[in-house]
mmCIF file of all heavy atoms in Angstrom:
data_model
loop_
_atom_site.group_PDB
_atom_site.id
_atom_site.type_symbol
_atom_site.label_atom_id
_atom_site.label_comp_id
_atom_site.label_asym_id
_atom_site.label_seq_id
_atom_site.Cartn_x
_atom_site.Cartn_y
_atom_site.Cartn_z
ATOM 1 N N LYS N 19 -3.304 -12.448 2.136
ATOM 2 C CA LYS N 19 -4.476 -13.395 1.955
ATOM 3 C C LYS N 19 -5.358 -13.457 3.117
ATOM 4 O O LYS N 19 -4.856 -13.416 4.180
ATOM 5 C CB LYS N 19 -3.953 -14.784 1.590
ATOM 6 C CG LYS N 19 -3.331 -14.872 0.283
ATOM 7 C CD LYS N 19 -2.966 -16.285 -0.077
ATOM 8 C CE LYS N 19 -2.372 -16.349 -1.478
ATOM 9 N NZ LYS N 19 -2.020 -17.782 -1.854
ATOM 10 N N GLU N 20 -6.714 -13.422 2.875
ATOM 11 C CA GLU N 20 -7.662 -13.657 3.959
ATOM 12 C C GLU N 20 -7.747 -15.175 4.099
ATOM 13 O O GLU N 20 -8.242 -15.844 3.120
ATOM 14 C CB GLU N 20 -8.970 -13.056 3.512
ATOM 15 C CG GLU N 20 -10.158 -13.469 4.429
ATOM 16 C CD GLU N 20 -10.009 -13.093 5.811
ATOM 17 O OE1 GLU N 20 -9.896 -11.839 6.160
ATOM 18 O OE2 GLU N 20 -9.827 -13.997 6.720
ATOM 19 N N GLU N 21 -7.344 -15.689 5.174
ATOM 20 C CA GLU N 21 -7.288 -17.159 5.370
ATOM 21 C C GLU N 21 -8.706 -17.784 5.626
ATOM 22 O O GLU N 21 -8.925 -18.839 5.386
ATOM 23 C CB GLU N 21 -6.388 -17.484 6.598
ATOM 24 C CG GLU N 21 -4.910 -17.052 6.429
ATOM 25 C CD GLU N 21 -4.274 -17.734 5.208
ATOM 26 O OE1 GLU N 21 -4.524 -18.860 4.921
ATOM 27 O OE2 GLU N 21 -3.449 -17.081 4.523
ATOM 28 N N LYS N 22 -9.628 -16.992 6.140
ATOM 29 C CA LYS N 22 -10.941 -17.531 6.497
ATOM 30 C C LYS N 22 -11.889 -17.558 5.332
ATOM 31 O O LYS N 22 -12.884 -18.372 5.290
ATOM 32 C CB LYS N 22 -11.506 -16.757 7.694
ATOM 33 C CG LYS N 22 -10.774 -17.021 9.018
ATOM 34 C CD LYS N 22 -11.374 -16.152 10.056
ATOM 35 C CE LYS N 22 -10.531 -16.303 11.359
ATOM 36 N NZ LYS N 22 -10.982 -15.461 12.399
ATOM 37 N N ILE N 23 -11.734 -16.692 4.341
ATOM 38 C CA ILE N 23 -12.610 -16.668 3.235
ATOM 39 C C ILE N 23 -11.780 -16.936 1.974
ATOM 40 O O ILE N 23 -10.995 -16.127 1.566
ATOM 41 C CB ILE N 23 -13.275 -15.257 3.140
ATOM 42 C CG1 ILE N 23 -13.963 -14.910 4.419
ATOM 43 C CG2 ILE N 23 -14.246 -15.200 1.966
ATOM 44 C CD1 ILE N 23 -14.590 -13.561 4.540
ATOM 45 N N LYS N 24 -12.065 -18.005 1.338
ATOM 46 C CA LYS N 24 -11.283 -18.390 0.201
ATOM 47 C C LYS N 24 -11.369 -17.444 -0.947
ATOM 48 O O LYS N 24 -12.423 -16.919 -1.325
ATOM 49 C CB LYS N 24 -11.839 -19.763 -0.338
ATOM 50 C CG LYS N 24 -11.002 -20.338 -1.439
ATOM 51 C CD LYS N 24 -11.565 -21.648 -1.908
ATOM 52 C CE LYS N 24 -10.687 -22.204 -3.021
ATOM 53 N NZ LYS N 24 -11.162 -23.567 -3.479
ATOM 54 N N GLY N 25 -10.206 -17.078 -1.586
ATOM 55 C CA GLY N 25 -10.018 -16.136 -2.693
ATOM 56 C C GLY N 25 -10.170 -14.694 -2.348
ATOM 57 O O GLY N 25 -10.297 -13.936 -3.268
ATOM 58 N N ARG N 26 -10.135 -14.371 -1.087
ATOM 59 C CA ARG N 26 -10.193 -12.896 -0.692
ATOM 60 C C ARG N 26 -8.898 -12.456 -0.108
ATOM 61 O O ARG N 26 -8.079 -13.300 0.300
ATOM 62 C CB ARG N 26 -11.272 -12.747 0.314
ATOM 63 C CG ARG N 26 -12.705 -13.230 -0.004
ATOM 64 C CD ARG N 26 -13.222 -12.463 -1.190
ATOM 65 N NE ARG N 26 -13.513 -11.049 -0.789
ATOM 66 C CZ ARG N 26 -14.013 -10.119 -1.541
ATOM 67 N NH1 ARG N 26 -14.227 -10.360 -2.881
ATOM 68 N NH2 ARG N 26 -14.191 -8.938 -1.131
ATOM 69 N N ILE N 27 -8.736 -11.156 -0.034
ATOM 70 C CA ILE N 27 -7.473 -10.513 0.474
ATOM 71 C C ILE N 27 -7.901 -9.441 1.458
ATOM 72 O O ILE N 27 -9.085 -9.005 1.502
ATOM 73 C CB ILE N 27 -6.587 -9.863 -0.619
ATOM 74 C CG1 ILE N 27 -7.378 -8.706 -1.350
ATOM 75 C CG2 ILE N 27 -6.026 -10.948 -1.575
ATOM 76 C CD1 ILE N 27 -6.464 -7.896 -2.159
ATOM 77 N N ARG N 28 -6.984 -9.013 2.217
ATOM 78 C CA ARG N 28 -7.046 -7.833 3.104
ATOM 79 C C ARG N 28 -6.061 -6.835 2.727
ATOM 80 O O ARG N 28 -4.967 -7.284 2.266
ATOM 81 C CB ARG N 28 -6.748 -8.217 4.585
ATOM 82 C CG ARG N 28 -7.835 -9.126 5.206
ATOM 83 C CD ARG N 28 -7.584 -9.313 6.697
ATOM 84 N NE ARG N 28 -6.805 -10.584 6.849
ATOM 85 C CZ ARG N 28 -6.698 -11.246 7.976
ATOM 86 N NH1 ARG N 28 -7.195 -10.683 9.068
ATOM 87 N NH2 ARG N 28 -6.170 -12.338 8.099
ATOM 88 N N SER N 29 -6.349 -5.559 2.756
ATOM 89 C CA SER N 29 -5.355 -4.599 2.196
ATOM 90 C C SER N 29 -5.416 -3.378 3.130
ATOM 91 O O SER N 29 -6.443 -3.012 3.687
ATOM 92 C CB SER N 29 -5.666 -4.306 0.806
ATOM 93 O OG SER N 29 -6.879 -3.522 0.639
ATOM 94 N N ILE N 30 -4.337 -2.693 3.019
ATOM 95 C CA ILE N 30 -4.124 -1.359 3.713
ATOM 96 C C ILE N 30 -3.626 -0.377 2.646
ATOM 97 O O ILE N 30 -2.614 -0.814 1.974
ATOM 98 C CB ILE N 30 -3.231 -1.395 4.906
ATOM 99 C CG1 ILE N 30 -3.749 -2.283 5.959
ATOM 100 C CG2 ILE N 30 -2.998 -0.009 5.493
ATOM 101 C CD1 ILE N 30 -2.673 -2.628 7.081
ATOM 102 N N ARG N 31 -4.075 0.756 2.579
ATOM 103 C CA ARG N 31 -3.496 1.790 1.697
ATOM 104 C C ARG N 31 -3.291 3.072 2.517
ATOM 105 O O ARG N 31 -4.187 3.462 3.267
ATOM 106 C CB ARG N 31 -4.411 2.199 0.519
ATOM 107 C CG ARG N 31 -3.830 3.202 -0.373
ATOM 108 C CD ARG N 31 -4.680 3.400 -1.642
ATOM 109 N NE ARG N 31 -5.804 4.162 -1.248
ATOM 110 C CZ ARG N 31 -6.653 4.773 -2.147
ATOM 111 N NH1 ARG N 31 -6.285 4.576 -3.435
ATOM 112 N NH2 ARG N 31 -7.608 5.407 -1.733
ATOM 113 N N VAL N 32 -2.058 3.554 2.551
ATOM 114 C CA VAL N 32 -1.767 4.733 3.285
ATOM 115 C C VAL N 32 -1.154 5.839 2.464
ATOM 116 O O VAL N 32 -0.299 5.559 1.534
ATOM 117 C CB VAL N 32 -0.622 4.348 4.424
ATOM 118 C CG1 VAL N 32 -0.354 5.533 5.333
ATOM 119 C CG2 VAL N 32 -1.141 3.232 5.237
ATOM 120 N N ILE N 33 -1.627 6.982 2.641
ATOM 121 C CA ILE N 33 -1.191 8.160 1.756
ATOM 122 C C ILE N 33 -0.505 9.122 2.842
ATOM 123 O O ILE N 33 -1.148 9.573 3.823
ATOM 124 C CB ILE N 33 -2.356 8.881 1.112
ATOM 125 C CG1 ILE N 33 -3.105 7.847 0.180
ATOM 126 C CG2 ILE N 33 -1.871 10.076 0.319
ATOM 127 C CD1 ILE N 33 -4.445 8.344 -0.343
ATOM 128 N N VAL N 34 0.665 9.532 2.514
ATOM 129 C CA VAL N 34 1.410 10.475 3.381
ATOM 130 C C VAL N 34 2.113 11.534 2.474
ATOM 131 O O VAL N 34 2.320 11.292 1.250
ATOM 132 C CB VAL N 34 2.538 9.774 4.157
ATOM 133 C CG1 VAL N 34 1.920 8.835 5.239
ATOM 134 C CG2 VAL N 34 3.631 9.072 3.385
ATOM 135 N N SER N 35 2.487 12.714 3.118
ATOM 136 C CA SER N 35 3.150 13.715 2.340
ATOM 137 C C SER N 35 4.509 13.827 2.958
ATOM 138 O O SER N 35 4.643 13.810 4.165
ATOM 139 C CB SER N 35 2.457 15.000 2.407
ATOM 140 O OG SER N 35 1.224 14.981 1.632
ATOM 141 N N VAL N 36 5.539 14.013 2.091
ATOM 142 C CA VAL N 36 6.901 14.301 2.663
ATOM 143 C C VAL N 36 7.422 15.539 1.956
ATOM 144 O O VAL N 36 7.031 15.890 0.799
ATOM 145 C CB VAL N 36 7.839 13.099 2.339
ATOM 146 C CG1 VAL N 36 7.415 11.935 3.228
ATOM 147 C CG2 VAL N 36 7.883 12.709 0.930
ATOM 148 N N SER N 37 8.203 16.265 2.575
ATOM 149 C CA SER N 37 8.752 17.610 2.075
ATOM 150 C C SER N 37 9.653 17.310 0.853
ATOM 151 O O SER N 37 10.456 16.446 0.890
ATOM 152 C CB SER N 37 9.474 18.339 3.123
ATOM 153 O OG SER N 37 8.525 18.758 4.111
ATOM 154 N N GLY N 38 9.507 18.185 -0.058
ATOM 155 C CA GLY N 38 10.438 18.245 -1.288
ATOM 156 C C GLY N 38 10.313 17.028 -2.147
ATOM 157 O O GLY N 38 9.239 16.529 -2.482
ATOM 158 N N HIS N 39 11.489 16.570 -2.714
ATOM 159 C CA HIS N 39 11.683 15.441 -3.620
ATOM 160 C C HIS N 39 10.990 15.709 -4.953
ATOM 161 O O HIS N 39 10.475 14.782 -5.533
ATOM 162 C CB HIS N 39 11.038 14.166 -2.915
ATOM 163 C CG HIS N 39 11.749 13.798 -1.714
ATOM 164 N ND1 HIS N 39 12.990 13.276 -1.670
ATOM 165 C CD2 HIS N 39 11.310 13.871 -0.423
ATOM 166 C CE1 HIS N 39 13.313 13.060 -0.405
ATOM 167 N NE2 HIS N 39 12.372 13.306 0.405
ATOM 168 N N LYS N 40 11.121 16.878 -5.461
ATOM 169 C CA LYS N 40 10.528 17.288 -6.778
ATOM 170 C C LYS N 40 10.811 16.170 -7.909
ATOM 171 O O LYS N 40 9.969 15.735 -8.564
ATOM 172 C CB LYS N 40 10.907 18.554 -7.173
ATOM 173 C CG LYS N 40 10.329 18.988 -8.535
ATOM 174 C CD LYS N 40 10.658 20.422 -8.887
ATOM 175 C CE LYS N 40 10.032 20.863 -10.238
ATOM 176 N NZ LYS N 40 10.368 22.167 -10.620
ATOM 177 N N ASP N 41 12.057 15.968 -8.066
ATOM 178 C CA ASP N 41 12.567 15.042 -9.017
ATOM 179 C C ASP N 41 13.195 13.748 -8.533
ATOM 180 O O ASP N 41 13.998 13.139 -9.242
ATOM 181 C CB ASP N 41 13.540 15.742 -10.118
ATOM 182 C CG ASP N 41 12.832 16.901 -10.796
ATOM 183 O OD1 ASP N 41 11.711 16.721 -11.303
ATOM 184 O OD2 ASP N 41 13.486 18.032 -10.896
ATOM 185 N N ASP N 42 12.863 13.475 -7.344
ATOM 186 C CA ASP N 42 13.537 12.298 -6.640
ATOM 187 C C ASP N 42 12.495 11.306 -6.105
ATOM 188 O O ASP N 42 12.177 11.287 -4.979
ATOM 189 C CB ASP N 42 14.366 12.911 -5.537
ATOM 190 C CG ASP N 42 15.156 11.796 -4.778
ATOM 191 O OD1 ASP N 42 15.324 10.644 -5.329
ATOM 192 O OD2 ASP N 42 15.616 11.997 -3.651
ATOM 193 N N ARG N 43 11.968 10.561 -7.024
ATOM 194 C CA ARG N 43 10.871 9.544 -6.565
ATOM 195 C C ARG N 43 11.499 8.535 -5.593
ATOM 196 O O ARG N 43 10.812 8.149 -4.696
ATOM 197 C CB ARG N 43 10.363 8.938 -7.841
ATOM 198 C CG ARG N 43 9.166 8.029 -7.514
ATOM 199 C CD ARG N 43 8.530 7.412 -8.741
ATOM 200 N NE ARG N 43 7.372 6.608 -8.322
ATOM 201 C CZ ARG N 43 6.901 5.552 -8.979
ATOM 202 N NH1 ARG N 43 7.508 5.230 -10.042
ATOM 203 N NH2 ARG N 43 5.893 4.996 -8.521
ATOM 204 N N ARG N 44 12.737 8.059 -5.850
ATOM 205 C CA ARG N 44 13.308 7.097 -4.986
ATOM 206 C C ARG N 44 13.416 7.604 -3.521
ATOM 207 O O ARG N 44 13.117 6.967 -2.634
ATOM 208 C CB ARG N 44 14.554 6.625 -5.524
ATOM 209 C CG ARG N 44 15.251 5.530 -4.639
ATOM 210 C CD ARG N 44 16.595 5.050 -5.223
ATOM 211 N NE ARG N 44 16.459 4.597 -6.597
ATOM 212 C CZ ARG N 44 16.112 3.337 -6.992
ATOM 213 N NH1 ARG N 44 15.909 2.517 -6.079
ATOM 214 N NH2 ARG N 44 16.061 3.021 -8.266
ATOM 215 N N GLY N 45 13.871 8.929 -3.400
ATOM 216 C CA GLY N 45 14.073 9.541 -2.083
ATOM 217 C C GLY N 45 12.718 9.773 -1.421
ATOM 218 O O GLY N 45 12.658 9.526 -0.266
#
């Protein structure tokens, strides 16, 4: 939550690649 502006949020989105895991979403 953004504390200084009512009703707003702050967010981060990160995209990474990891080797393998073709059928292993959990891994």
